[in-house]
Amino acid sequence: MVLQQAPARPHSETPDRGVLNRGRPQQAGPSRLRALDGLRLLAALSVAVYHYLAYEGAAPAWGQAPSSLFPQWSGAAAYGWLGVEVFFVISGFVICMSCWGRSLGDFFRSRVTRLYPAYWAAVVLTTVVVTVTPAIGQDIPFTDVLVNLTMLQDAVGADRVDGVYWTLWVELRFYLLFALLVWGGLTFRRVLAFSLIWTVVAALARTADSELLTLVAMPKYAPYFLVGIGIYLVHRFGDHLLSWLVIGVNAILSYHYAVLRMDHQAEDVVHQPLSRLIVGLVLFGGIALVAAIARGHLGWVRWRWVSYAGALTYPFYLLHDYIGFALINWLYDRVGVSAYAVLPVTVTAMLVLAWLVHRLAEKPLARWLKVRLTSGAMTLDPRDLLSRRRPVPAATPDAATPGAQAAGPGRSRDEVTIARK
């Protein structure tokens, strides 16, 4: 789960004429969708509370099942995993927003500079903590740690440094799929067609018995991203029947897959019964909040600290799990701090650590990467890659007209593009 801070709502365009020039960034409005940043942080906190108070994997940290320590809180915290589903909805909205009117190269650079700096810091810090406190998490081979630095550990079957990294593989596949759309240029009709086709293909992938199709179409997660994309179409172009069709159908499918995951959570993870009604209320409530923010109903949320807190969401999510468990174990088991005091102390400490990573690692590394990726000669323009002009051959002295100079080789489209840049 990886998200950018949300820019303001752009000027409206009609669906039929919603084509922006490729490579030209859209005009930003006077304010940001700050409430979306706040919702991101709320979703991250819900996941952290779920891990600390309900997740059975936290038992080594507490020395016993967290549900036995927090019988009053564990039941509510057991629904915190739905924060990931809400993250995916927000991701569909924000990625669509941030890529509109931009080139594939812009998309590539923004994803690299957003994803990797905080992630590299988290991998290093978590590896150190797990090595020092082997009871927390698992001690994985050094080669797998190196693979984790690429963020492709799930693709090649390597162990994850931290269990929460599973969402990054989902996000990466979404980015790669959406990059195909960015490559051709985003318009209302193209994004709508993409959304309708992906909805159908993801639904069919469940019965197609094809690992490759399932890997690409992501039937269990596609509905969340598609809800976010549909909400963005409404945000940018206003109410349109097909946009709402994308939202409605995929909201229903999202609930279907959330219930399936609920059954797994109840039986194998939190070991307590969960309610389909509560799952629906939390999921549809999160979707409704994203839609309300997109339609401007929460525009009164303008505090700067909300956006700054939202910037800490990604590093907080990456750091809170195994490092948080190690801190819980030290505070509760060794120092003897009350269990009810350990929770706020741990959450606060993880937020402070996220802030340090954001200031000392994420921002400097992102600037460094942006400069070097921007100075490169690769434009990632499909017209440059697929429509190269053949060089004009140099004229030989025998074929040259008397008095004429020999023609030099022609310049390819790649060379022209690079020269202009």
Side-chain angles (χ1 to χ4, degrees), residues 173-259:
R173 285 181 286 165
F174 167 54
Y175 295 159
L176 292 173
L177 197 59
F178 200 76
L180 298 176
L181 194 58
V182 175
W183 197 12
L186 300 183
T187 69
F188 175 82
R189 290 181 177 179
R190 288 175 182 173
V191 175
L192 184 61
F194 168 84
S195 301
L196 293 172
I197 293 171
W198 192 13
T199 299
V200 175
V201 172
L204 295 177
R206 294 285 293 179
T207 58
D209 194 25
S210 170
E211 292 185 6
L212 178 60
L213 184 60
T214 301
L215 180 70
V216 174
M218 299 186 296
K220 293 191 295 183
Y221 309 111
Y224 304 111
F225 295 116
L226 286 164
V227 168
I229 292 173
I231 292 174
Y232 179 72
L233 291 179
V234 172
H235 167 78
R236 187 180 188 95
F237 300 104
D239 294 319
H240 191 282
L241 178 60
L242 290 178
S243 299
W244 282 109
L245 178 65
V246 169
I247 296 170
V249 169
N250 283 285
I252 294 172
L253 293 175
S254 296
Y255 178 62
H256 168 73
Y257 286 113
V259 168

Side-chain angles (χ1 to χ4, degrees), residues 328-339 341-342:
I328 287 172
N329 181 258
W330 181 74
L331 290 173
Y332 181 71
D333 187 50
R334 300 186 182 182
V335 180
V337 178
S338 166
V342 166

Side-chain angles (χ1 to χ4, degrees), residues 15-40:
D16 290 339
R17 298 186 179 276
V19 183
L20 293 180
N21 293 331
R22 285 177 45 79
R24 181 181 301 172
Q26 63 194 37
Q27 295 298 318
S31 62
R32 303 176 64 88
L33 298 180
R34 297 189 187 277
L36 201 60
D37 294 318
L39 182 58
R40 291 168 52 207

